[in-house]
Structure formats: C-alpha cells, structure tokens
C-alpha cells in the first residue's frame, strides 16, 4: 500500500503543478510515473498470476491456433497478442500494455479535462480503486476500456463506422465491450438533461433496488444467453438487499445527484456527452451490487467522472465547490483504505513488487 500511495501522491502533485501552470510538462510527468508503476509491477493484483500462467500456456507449443486452444475468456486478439510476445516474454507484454493504456489516459485527460483540474482527474484515476488498481489486474478489460476512451472521439464526431470498428476491436480483447455499441446513439441525442429527465433517471435508478429478483433473473438469462463465457460471475455474485445498503452507497449516489443537477446547465455538445455517460454509470450501480459482471461493465463508464466532476466544479460557487471536492476526496481516500484492508484485494495488492525482484525474465 505504501508504494502505491507514494506513486499516487507524486502523480497528483505533478498534475497539480500543470493545473496551476507551474510546470507545462506536469501532466506528462504524472502519467509517466503511473506508467513506470504499472510497467514494472510483478505479481501485483488478483489476476496477475492467472495472466502469467495463461501466457505460458498459450506459448507452450510452436504450432497452435486459437481454434484448438479453448480457455475461458481468451478473446482472439488477446490470444494472438500473447503469441506475438512469445519471443519477448510476459514482462514485455505488460510493459507495452502499460504504455498503451497510459498514452490513452494522457490523451483523454489532455483532450477533455479542463487544465485547472488535471490534478483531480489523476486523483480519481489513481485513488479510485476501480480504475488504475483493479484494471492493472484485469488486463484484458483495461485494453478494452482504453479502446472505448479512444472511441469516444468518434461519438463526438458522429463517425459511426470508426466507432463500430474501434469497439469491435475492443471486444476482441474483452467480449463485454460489445455492450458499448449502442452508445453511438448518444451522438444523435443532443438534448439537455432537464428536471423531468433527472426525475426519470432517479426512478430508473431506484426501481431495480425494489425489483431485485425480477431484474436479476432477467439479466441472468440475458448474460447466459449471449455472454455465457462470463456466467462465472453470476454464480459468484452475492445478493444485496435494500436493507443492506449503507452510508457509503448513499454518499456515492449523492455525488451523482449533484452531477444530474448541474447537467441541466451544460450546453456544450461534447461535455453533454460525458454527463450522459455518467448517467449510465449511475444506473449500473444498483445492478452492480448483485451481479459482478454488471459492476465490471461500469469500468467503461467511470473514466467519464474524470471529466464530469471538473465540469461541475466550474459551475459552482467557491464554497460549494470546495465542500464537494473535499467530500469526494475524503470518500475516495476512505474507500482506498478499505480496498487495502479487504479480504478480496488486500493479499494481492498490499505488497508492490517489481520485475527487478524476479529471478529471471518471464
């Protein structure tokens, strides 16, 4: 945890220097620090050992093709990417993927986040555990998320074919990306979110909480029917009752309610797109409590918060803005602490090791 904390603080600090215009390379240095952290990691994250073993299995034979190698979750692009890196080793694959994901992160922040809040975007990316940390473990989906961040450009520009091709490529790394195809419709929905829309969104958010059994059964059928590769997540999902929902859930949702309120006053077409993506993220929250796969789908939409929160801050008065920023920071840090003390993640993320500690190049 200590190593991760130091890296995160340094990354946020250099991004802050750029935000204050004290160092024009601050954001670049910040992302480079993140890159080094991700590129040099070794046996870090729940899925790292599995991906390493998967790499070794795929490259065990000289002549092999994807048709004769059926392992759960091996999307075709991931299979051939592993084959391509056979001469260079698994560590090289991790380094190149870290470079790709960090390049996309830098490009995304530079393009869509107001400079004044570069530091906040990096704070969310590093301290919000569902972004940098969990995606460092979920390598295939991390690639798919990066392709989606690139594809957002094509939603903005209404380039339907470019968008479909990019999402199709993403789905070759993680099948769940197919769910993103309908989002191209957002480029044709140029209406502002009004108060009546906000009420509708809140109703759509609340309903699944009170109709959990019916909602879960419908989603289970859909996933088993079209995404049976991921049916594992259905069998390992813990059901949450409305009565089990705690203060953390309420606080998190309250942040989204603030986003919904200020979405009424956003008139820039590109910015409105991110508000709408944030709404999708909100609607997935109650479903993510009961079905792990739905929670993982939200990984695609969480980066929108790096854009949306700064846009909200720009619309607020100083005192209200400072209270909101402070509340988000405290809430995020608290969840960051819980992450490193959880039974699920603590063992696999607490100790940061580098490839320099490995006895040989893998």
């Amino acid at each position: 945890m200590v190593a991760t904390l130091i890296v995160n603080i340094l990354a946020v600090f250099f991004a802050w220097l750029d935000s204050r215009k004290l160092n024009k390379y601050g954001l670049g240095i910040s992302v480079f620090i993140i890159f080094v952290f991700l590129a040099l990691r070794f046996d870090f994250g729940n899925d790292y050992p599995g991906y390493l073993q998967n790499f070794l299995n795929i490259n065990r034979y000289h002549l092999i093709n994807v048709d004769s190698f059926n392992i759960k979750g091996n999307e075709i692009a991931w299979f051939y990417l592993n084959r391509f890196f056979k001469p260079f080793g698994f560590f090289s694959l991790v380094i190149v993927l870290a470079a790709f994901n960090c390049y996309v992160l830098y490009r995304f922040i530079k393009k869509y986040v107001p400079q004044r809040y570069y530091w906040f975007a990096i704070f969310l990316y590093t301290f919000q555990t569902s972004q940098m940390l969990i995606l460092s473990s979920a390598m295939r989906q991390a690639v798919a998320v990066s392709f989606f961040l690139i594809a957002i450009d094509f939603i903005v520009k209404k380039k339907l074919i470019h968008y479909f091709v990019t999402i199709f490529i993403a789905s070759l790394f993680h099948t769940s990306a197919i769910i993103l195809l309908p989002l191209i419709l957002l480029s044709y929905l140029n209406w502002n979110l009004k108060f009546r829309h906000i009420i509708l969104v809140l109703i759509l958010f609340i309903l699944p909480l009170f109709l959990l059994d019916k909602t879960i059964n419908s989603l289970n059928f859909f996933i088993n029917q079209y995404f049976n590769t991921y049916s594992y997540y259905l069998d390992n999902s813990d059901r949450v009752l409305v009565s089990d929902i705690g203060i953390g859930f309420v606080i998190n949702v309250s942040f989204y309610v603030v986003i919904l309120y200020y979405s009424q006053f956003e008139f820039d077409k590109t910015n409105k797109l991110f508000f709408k993506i944030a709404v999708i993220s909100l609607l997935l929250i109650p479903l993510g409590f009961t079905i792990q796969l739905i929670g993982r789908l939200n990984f695609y939409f969480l980066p929108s918060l790096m854009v949306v929160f700064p846009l909200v801050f720009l619309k607020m008065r100083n005192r209200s803005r400072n209270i909101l920023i402070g509340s988000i920071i405290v809430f995020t840090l608290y969840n960051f602490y819980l992450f490193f003390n959880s039974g699920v993640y603590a063992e696999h993320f607490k100790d940061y090791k580098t490839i320099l500690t490995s006895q040989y190049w893998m």
Side-chain angles (χ1 to χ4, degrees), residues 198-254:
I198 294 174
I199 298 300
L200 176 61
V201 168
L202 293 177
I203 292 173
L204 291 174
F205 174 83
I206 293 171
L207 273 180
L209 294 175
F210 292 94
L211 300 171
L212 279 181
D213 284 337
K214 290 185 178 179
T215 304
I216 290 170
N217 290 336
S218 299
L219 288 170
N220 284 353
F221 175 80
F222 177 78
I223 292 169
N224 278 316
Q225 195 78 2
Y226 300 103
F227 297 95
N228 60 351
T229 301
Y230 298 101
S231 59
Y232 165 83
Y233 294 107
L234 304 180
D235 300 329
N236 290 272
S237 294
D238 296 324
R239 294 198 175 192
V240 177
L241 302 175
V242 176
S243 58
D244 296 328
I245 293 173
I247 187 66
F249 175 86
V250 175
I251 293 173
N252 188 34
V253 171
S254 69

Side-chain angles (χ1 to χ4, degrees), residues 28 101 171 189 244 270 299:
N101 293 331
S171 72
L189 300 176
D244 296 328
T270 300
F299 293 169

Side-chain angles (χ1 to χ4, degrees), residues 290-305:
T290 52
I291 299 179
Q292 290 184 34
L293 180 58
I294 302 297
R296 293 177 74 92
L297 286 179
N298 214 354
F299 293 169
Y300 293 108
F301 306 118
L302 286 175
S304 67
L305 300 182

Side-chain angles (χ1 to χ4, degrees), residues 49-66:
Y51 275 109
L52 174 57
Q53 188 59 52
N54 188 250
F55 178 87
L56 297 175
N57 290 342
I58 289 174
N59 291 303
R60 184 175 298 167
Y61 307 101
H62 291 292
L63 296 175
I64 192 170
N65 61 63
V66 71

Side-chain angles (χ1 to χ4, degrees), residues 155 182-190 269 273 276-277 280:
I155 300 179
L183 263 65
I184 188 63
L185 297 175
L186 294 179
S187 63
Y188 300 95
L189 300 176
N190 196 31
K269 180 182 175 182
L273 169 64
K276 291 164 188 171
I277 294 175
I280 297 173

